[in-house]
């Protein structure tokens, strides 16, 4: 339930703190005193639009904060845990801050949240029933929601939503598959041509990287072989080479052996050099023959790399692996054309099965709606009769329609407010006051089903008086036995039913007009009720009437 409301720097409110209580809380005050400002502030905490024009002083931010008692609210606890929102087992604090620039910030238990999250939590904590909400009564979605709440269909609808989603997904797959096969049939010749080219290319995973690596090695081997060739040319294979020159030197030294100094052994030394040079020549020759740098190999690699790049550009990809994927996809799509009849038959069978299961679940929900609709029509007439609608006739039509997100039903409320009148849809049958009373009755009927800790009625009693007003107040008082009710009213008969009474009023100082609120004592309540009964000034007779009204209402 709503424990407290803090408002600062908002419209005519410089600072206001209100403590609410369980049971029926009444708020009264003259027109223009600021009751709608308080309601607007609460609406802001339910994700309402922030308006910087509502900020009273432009040198500071506006702050609106509500504290709710959430003891035992496991549903809200789960939502906060799933949304990573700070949680307190006893209290939930909603806060909106609006800067003079219009920037808005939202917090739940000091955790920054989005407006969507604040709205989601707010709707779990409080229901604001205003004149604007009366328009919902003509909405088919709202009417169906009422019946579903009475039929306790929350769990069934969750299960149905899963089944309906499966059916929709099966239909989507069938539709997409048919469309894809039709497109592929039109392009089958070109696809076959592409597949044939890719199969001839036969790309391999990581092939390009391996080719680049091999090319590098072969290119390096070619350089090595060229240097070996140059060395062999100089040593033994050139027209003028080291070995032939040394052999000439040896021949000449052999001829000069008789005149050369014996102790220098020049011919022997030259022979040793020739042995070493021959050995080096053999080693280099062996290395040359073992080095596999073939220019043709390099050309083959370059051609393969060029071919791969050409295909990659053609298919707008960046790797041979992606070419493989395109090839496999083409193969699969062409195979799918051949398998199309069997594939479509399987998908149609799956869709029919999903539809059948969803229909069965929807029929179960439809049955509960029809039973709930009959009971609701009886209860609504019973609740509305004391509120001046003794000739009310309700027909809650649940008719079968195509399978949809909420089942197979259209729900329509039809009313007649006069004898011998044919019931017609509510937006053409009822006046504003009648709709207000109908909505009050509906909220009273479903109050224990919606599991809301608090509900706010904003002048829902407009347009009624006398005994009807008293009965409307009694209805709110009865509702307050199971949930907190806050009612903004102009009627003394309603105000007298409250367990707690607050008055909103304006106060002037030397600078401005301010909206204030005060919780009334019993004597102050008598004065306020007397004022509402007879106007100003308050007479002794009016106070006596007020005292009697209060005594008979509590």
């Amino acid at each position: 339930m709503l424990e407290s409301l803090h408002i600062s720097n908002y419209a005519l409110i410089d600072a206001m703190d209100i403590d609410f209580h369980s049971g029926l809380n009444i708020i009264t005050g003259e027109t223009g005193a600021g009751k709608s400002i308080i309601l607007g502030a609460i609406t802001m905490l339910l994700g309402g639009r922030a308006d910087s024009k509502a900020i009273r002083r432009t040198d500071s931010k506006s702050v609106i904060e509500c504290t709710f008692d959430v003891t035992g609210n496991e549903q809200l606890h789960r939502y906060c845990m799933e949304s990573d929102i700070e949680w307190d087992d006893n209290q939930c604090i909603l806060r909106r801050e609006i800067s003079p620039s219009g920037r808005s910030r939202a917090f739940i238990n000091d955790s920054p949240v989005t407006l969507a999250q604040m709205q989601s939590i707010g709707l779990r904590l409080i229901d604001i029933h205003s004149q604007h909400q009366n328009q919902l009564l003509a909405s088919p979605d709202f009417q169906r929601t009422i019946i579903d709440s009475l039929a306790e269909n929350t769990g069934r609808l969750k299960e149905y939503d899963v089944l309906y989603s499966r059916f929709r997904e099966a239909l989507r797959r069938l539709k997409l598959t048919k469309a894809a096969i039709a497109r592929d049939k039109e392009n089958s010749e070109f696809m076959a041509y592409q597949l044939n080219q890719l199969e001839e290319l036969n790309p391999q995973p990581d092939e390009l990287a391996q080719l680049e690596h091999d090319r590098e090695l072969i290119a390096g081997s070619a350089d090595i072989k060229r240097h070996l060739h140059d060395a062999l040319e100089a040593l033994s294979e050139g027209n003028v080479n080291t070995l032939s020159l040394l052999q000439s030197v040896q021949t000449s030294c052999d001829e000069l052996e008789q005149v050369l100094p014996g102790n220098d052994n020049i011919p022997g030394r030259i022979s040793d050099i020739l042995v070493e040079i021959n050995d080096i020549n053999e080693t280099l020759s062996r290395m040359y023959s073992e080095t596999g740098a073939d220019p043709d190999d390099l050309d083959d690699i370059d051609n393969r790399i060029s071919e791969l790049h050409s295909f990659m550009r053609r298919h707008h990809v960046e790797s041979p692996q992606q070419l493989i994927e395109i090839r496999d996809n083409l193969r699969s799509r062409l195979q799918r054309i051949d398998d199309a009849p069997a594939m479509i038959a399987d998908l149609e069978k799956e869709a029919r099965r999903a539809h059948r299961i969803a229909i069965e679940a929807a029929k179960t929900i439809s049955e509960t709606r029809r039973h709930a609709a009959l009971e609701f029509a009886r209860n609504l007439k019973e609740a509305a009769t004391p509120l001046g609608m003794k000739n009310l006739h309700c027909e809650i039509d649940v008719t079968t329609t195509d399978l949809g997100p909420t089942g197979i039903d259209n729900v329509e409320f039809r009313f007649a407010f006069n004898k011998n009148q044919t019931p017609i849809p509510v937006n053409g049958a009822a006046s504003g006051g009648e709709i207000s009373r109908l909505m009050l009755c509906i909220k009273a009927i479903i109050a224990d089903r919606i599991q809301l800790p608090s509900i706010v009625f904003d002048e829902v009693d407009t347009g009624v008086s006398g005994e009807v007003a008293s009965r409307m107040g009694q209805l709110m008082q009865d509702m307050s036995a199971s949930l907190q009710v806050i009612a903004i009213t102009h009627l003394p008969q309603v105000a007298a039913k409250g367990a707690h009474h607050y008055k909103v009023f304006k106060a002037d100082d030397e600078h401005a007009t301010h909206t204030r609120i005060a919780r009334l004592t019993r004597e102050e309540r008598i004065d306020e009720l007397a004022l509402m009964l007879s106007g100003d000034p308050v007479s002794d007779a009016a106070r006596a009437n007020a005292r009697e009204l209060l005594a008979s209402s509590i």
Side-chain angles (χ1 to χ4, degrees):
M1 87 177 181
L2 176 60
E3 289 187 324
S4 64
L5 170 65
H6 167 80
I7 307 171
S8 63
N9 194 29
Y10 182 74
L12 294 178
I13 300 172
D14 49 358
M16 177 184 290
D17 289 283
I18 314 171
D19 291 328
F20 290 103
H21 303 272
S22 59
L24 178 57
N25 296 259
I26 296 293
I27 298 177
T28 61
E30 295 180 1
T31 300
K35 300 185 297 298
S36 61
I37 297 174
I38 296 172
L39 184 66
I42 297 175
T43 302
M44 289 268 290
L45 291 172
L46 301 183
R49 180 177 174 271
D51 186 359
S52 61
K53 295 178 183 177
I55 296 180
R56 184 180 178 87
R57 298 187 316 276
T58 58
D59 59 341
S60 62
K61 64 186 177 183
S62 175
V63 178
I64 302 165
E65 183 176 283
C66 274
T67 301
F68 292 88
D69 181 353
V70 292
T71 304
N73 194 327
E74 290 302 321
Q75 183 188 48
L76 187 61
H77 182 199
R78 284 194 302 273
Y79 178 86
C80 288
M81 293 298 96
E82 291 168 0
S83 304
D84 198 26
I85 296 172
E86 186 177 335
W87 174 256
D88 183 295
D89 287 338
N90 300 314
Q91 286 187 333
C92 183
I93 301 173
L94 277 61
R95 185 170 81 253
R96 284 285 296 275
E97 297 178 355
I98 310 158
S99 68
S101 66
R103 183 172 178 268
S104 170
R105 300 174 68 198
F107 301 87
I108 297 174
N109 295 333
D110 289 328
S111 295
V113 296
T114 65
L115 284 185
Q117 288 175 313
M118 174 164 273
Q119 183 180 46
S120 182
I121 284 186
L123 292 174
R124 289 170 164 83
L125 291 171
I126 191 167
D127 175 33
I128 297 179
H129 181 91
S130 62
Q131 291 291 328
H132 171 71
Q133 198 186 43
N134 287 340
Q135 299 171 12
L136 285 174
L137 187 54
S139 163
D141 287 341
F142 182 73
Q143 294 175 4
R144 188 189 60 255
T145 300
I146 289 173
I147 297 304
D148 280 331
S149 68
L150 293 172
E152 299 181 346
N153 275 336
T154 300
R156 296 185 190 96
L157 284 169
K158 284 183 178 179
E159 293 175 4
Y160 171 77
D161 184 62
V162 173
L163 299 176
Y164 182 71
S165 296
R166 287 176 185 167
F167 166 60
R168 295 295 301 171
E169 177 60 22
L171 279 185
R172 188 186 72 84
R173 287 198 302 270
L174 175 61
K175 181 180 178 180
L176 291 177
T177 301
K178 284 182 174 180
I181 290 172
R183 286 194 304 269
D184 287 346
K185 281 183 177 179
E186 291 181 3
N187 299 317
S188 59
E189 289 186 9
F190 181 62
M191 289 166 57
Y193 167 74
Q194 287 184 312
L195 177 60
N196 183 60
Q197 284 194 318
L198 285 169
E199 286 180 336
E200 287 183 1
L201 179 69
N202 192 27
Q204 301 299 316
D206 302 322
E207 180 181 7
L208 195 58
Q210 185 62 48
L211 286 169
E212 296 285 359
H213 176 70
D214 291 346
R215 189 187 187 287
E216 219 175 291
L217 288 178
I218 292 174
S221 297
D223 287 340
I224 293 171
K225 197 158 189 173
R226 179 171 53 81
H227 290 306
L228 287 170
H229 176 269
D230 291 344
L232 289 170
E233 282 284 309
L235 276 175
S236 63
E237 296 179 4
N239 292 329
V240 178
N241 59 72
T242 302
L243 276 175
S244 61
L245 289 173
L246 280 173
Q247 287 169 352
S248 295
V249 171
Q250 186 180 38
T251 300
S252 296
C253 287
D254 286 341
E255 293 295 331
L256 295 172
E257 186 176 5
Q258 300 300 324
V259 297
L260 291 174
N263 57 354
D264 287 338
N265 191 22
I266 289 175
R269 289 161 64 188
I270 291 174
S271 293
D272 291 341
I273 290 172
L274 282 170
V275 170
E276 184 66 23
I277 291 297
N278 276 310
D279 186 58
I280 291 172
N281 186 66
E282 289 176 4
T283 300
L284 293 178
S285 295
R286 186 174 63 254
M287 290 175 65
Y288 183 82
S289 64
E290 291 176 353
T291 300
D294 190 334
D296 291 340
D297 292 343
L298 194 58
D299 288 343
D300 289 344
I301 288 175
D302 284 338
N303 290 336
R304 180 63 174 175
I305 290 173
S306 177
E307 188 178 27
L308 287 171
H309 277 294
S310 175
F311 270 81
M312 286 158 54
R313 284 192 300 271
R314 193 180 310 166
H315 290 278
H316 307 289
V317 296
E318 298 180 354
S319 71
Q321 177 61 41
Q322 290 172 296
L323 290 176
I324 294 172
E325 291 170 3
I326 291 173
R327 180 198 65 194
D328 293 346
N329 180 256
L330 287 168
R331 191 180 290 153
S332 175
R333 288 165 65 186
L334 288 168
Q335 182 63 45
R336 184 173 59 184
I337 293 174
D338 294 335
D339 298 339
M343 183 182 298
I344 290 174
D346 287 343
L347 289 173
E348 288 176 340
K349 181 179 179 181
E350 181 183 345
R352 286 194 299 270
R353 180 176 180 275
H355 181 266
R356 185 174 64 254
I357 294 172
I359 282 286
E360 290 302 315
K363 286 180 178 178
T364 300
I365 292 171
S366 185
E367 278 186 36
T368 65
R369 284 172 175 162
R370 293 175 192 277
H371 288 304
L374 291 173
E375 183 182 355
F376 175 65
R378 289 194 297 268
N379 291 340
L380 186 56
K381 178 174 176 56
E382 183 180 331
T385 297
L387 303 186
M389 292 185 282
K390 63 180 181 180
N391 293 320
L392 177 69
H393 178 60
C394 308
E395 287 184 1
I396 312 301
D397 292 334
V398 180
T399 55
T400 302
T401 185
D402 294 334
L403 189 72
T406 58
I408 54 171
D409 301 311
N410 279 331
V411 176
E412 184 179 46
F413 290 9
R414 304 171 71 87
F415 298 103
F417 293 88
N418 302 300
K419 284 185 177 181
N420 300 319
Q421 180 183 5
T422 302
I424 60 176
V426 63
N427 55 349
S431 66
E434 288 169 331
I435 290 177
S436 291
R437 280 175 278 167
L438 279 176
M439 284 295 282
L440 176 60
C441 293
I442 290 169
K443 289 294 175 74
I445 292 169
I446 67 174
D448 61 337
R449 304 293 180 91
I450 57 179
Q451 296 180 336
L452 274 175
S454 304
I455 188 169
V456 177
F457 288 111
D458 178 26
E459 299 183 357
V460 71
D461 48 21
T462 299
V464 300
S465 59
E467 182 62 22
V468 171
S470 179
R471 291 184 181 278
M472 289 184 75
Q474 185 62 51
L475 199 56
M476 295 183 198
Q477 190 178 53
D478 293 343
M479 290 175 65
S480 71
S482 58
L483 76 163
Q484 181 191 51
V485 178
I486 300 171
I488 300 172
T489 183
H490 287 293
L491 298 180
Q493 296 92 333
V494 174
K497 300 290 185 182
H500 315 279
H501 192 153
Y502 302 82
K503 181 175 182 178
V504 179
F505 58 94
K506 287 182 178 179
D508 296 331
D509 58 22
E510 62 273 19
H511 302 295
T513 298
H514 306 273
T515 290
R516 301 278 189 254
I517 190 167
R519 184 182 178 193
L520 304 181
T521 64
R522 181 174 178 80
E523 287 304 310
E524 289 169 337
R525 288 190 71 180
I526 291 171
D527 290 341
E528 176 68 4
L529 291 173
L531 183 63
M532 296 171 74
L533 284 165
S534 64
D536 194 22
V538 176
S539 66
D540 289 341
R543 295 188 83 255
N545 287 339
R547 189 175 285 107
E548 182 179 352
L549 180 62
L550 189 62
S552 63
S553 298
I554 299 177

